[in-house]
Amino acid sequence: MQSLFRPASIALSALLLLLLGGCVHPITMITETAPPRSQAYLVPKKVAYVMTDADRDLEVITPGGSGDRVSYYPYRDLEKSIRDALRAVYRDVVVLRSAGDAKANEAAGVSLVFSPRIKTDSSSSSWISWPPTSFTAEVSCVVTDAAGTEVTRVRAVGNGAAEFGEFKGDFGLAARRAATRLTAQLSSEIRRNEKLR
């Protein structure tokens, strides 16, 4: 008799784990806010950042509230933030598919190449709603010259928070606030680094 209940209990346990795993909800981190760009203070250089199609297609899933999770594309969503941070410092910014083509970089007049790596995380204090109330985005860039020699590294972190009453259908609000702070900090870190002038 006990052997008859074993398959049923295994199936019930698997179903319970599936339900506890929660749903995955799509959000976006894209922000329209950009650091100020003053032509008078721009560094007169042409720089590039590296963003491949594989980067843009990378989907990440992190925790939300009530046992659910959120999905998003950090490179695709934060590409504008990275470009805006560079445009706040440099006169000309272009995108590359690869950092290693020294001849192409030299021919294009690129002085510096930023290769960003992005990490994100999220959480929620809510047991009844799924949007994350806390979000962290971090970008670390290896910066090379046109020939591919490492010049320096820069890192920026943005934290965003949002309360349940603020969402009003804007479920990625904490993520966008994190992206806005990340953009501002990245441009500040670049300006502060003497090797990047």
Side-chain angles (χ1 to χ4, degrees):
M1 189 69 138
Q2 188 177 3
S3 62
L4 290 174
F5 287 111
R6 187 168 293 157
S9 66
I10 290 171
L12 186 60
S13 296
L15 180 61
L16 185 59
L17 283 173
L18 187 63
L19 290 173
L20 288 174
C23 299
V24 178
H25 305 272
I27 62 168
T28 179
M29 303 171 64
I30 298 170
T31 177
E32 294 304 317
T33 307
R37 186 174 200 253
S38 172
Q39 293 286 343
Y41 296 104
L42 294 179
V43 176
K45 286 184 177 179
K46 184 177 187 178
V47 302
Y49 66 92
V50 179
M51 188 73 64
T52 67
D53 289 340
D55 289 335
R56 292 187 185 97
D57 290 341
L58 177 68
E59 182 182 24
V60 170
I61 297 173
T62 54
S66 69
D68 286 8
R69 295 166 294 161
V70 290
S71 68
Y72 47 93
Y73 296 84
Y75 287 89
R76 186 187 305 173
D77 288 357
L78 289 175
E79 181 171 5
K80 179 185 181 301
S81 294
I82 292 167
R83 185 173 58 246
D84 285 345
L86 292 171
R87 288 188 78 248
V89 180
Y90 297 103
R91 186 176 57 202
D92 198 6
V93 179
V94 296
V95 61
L96 301 175
R97 290 179 180 233
S98 165
D101 194 343
K103 286 185 179 178
N105 293 344
E106 190 176 342
V110 170
S111 301
L112 298 168
V113 178
F114 290 75
S115 297
R117 292 292 93 194
I118 297 171
K119 292 181 184 176
T120 55
D121 199 8
S122 62
S123 63
S124 177
S125 56
S126 174
W127 290 96
I128 58 169
S129 64
W130 62 263
T133 56
S134 179
F135 202 97
T136 301
E138 175 187 330
V139 62
S140 300
C141 295
V142 175
V143 188
T144 60
D145 61 18
T149 304
E150 184 174 324
V151 175
T152 189
R153 294 176 182 230
V154 290
R155 176 180 170 270
V157 177
N159 295 302
E163 297 301 322
F164 178 71
E166 294 181 277
F167 290 130
K168 299 176 184 173
D170 187 4
F171 301 124
L173 183 58
R176 274 193 290 287
R177 286 176 174 169
T180 298
R181 291 184 178 115
L182 173 81
T183 310
Q185 190 182 107
L186 182 58
S187 66
S188 294
E189 290 298 319
I190 293 168
R191 276 198 197 93
R192 192 176 294 134
N193 193 319
E194 292 183 4
K195 294 179 179 178
L196 297 178
R197 293 178 187 162

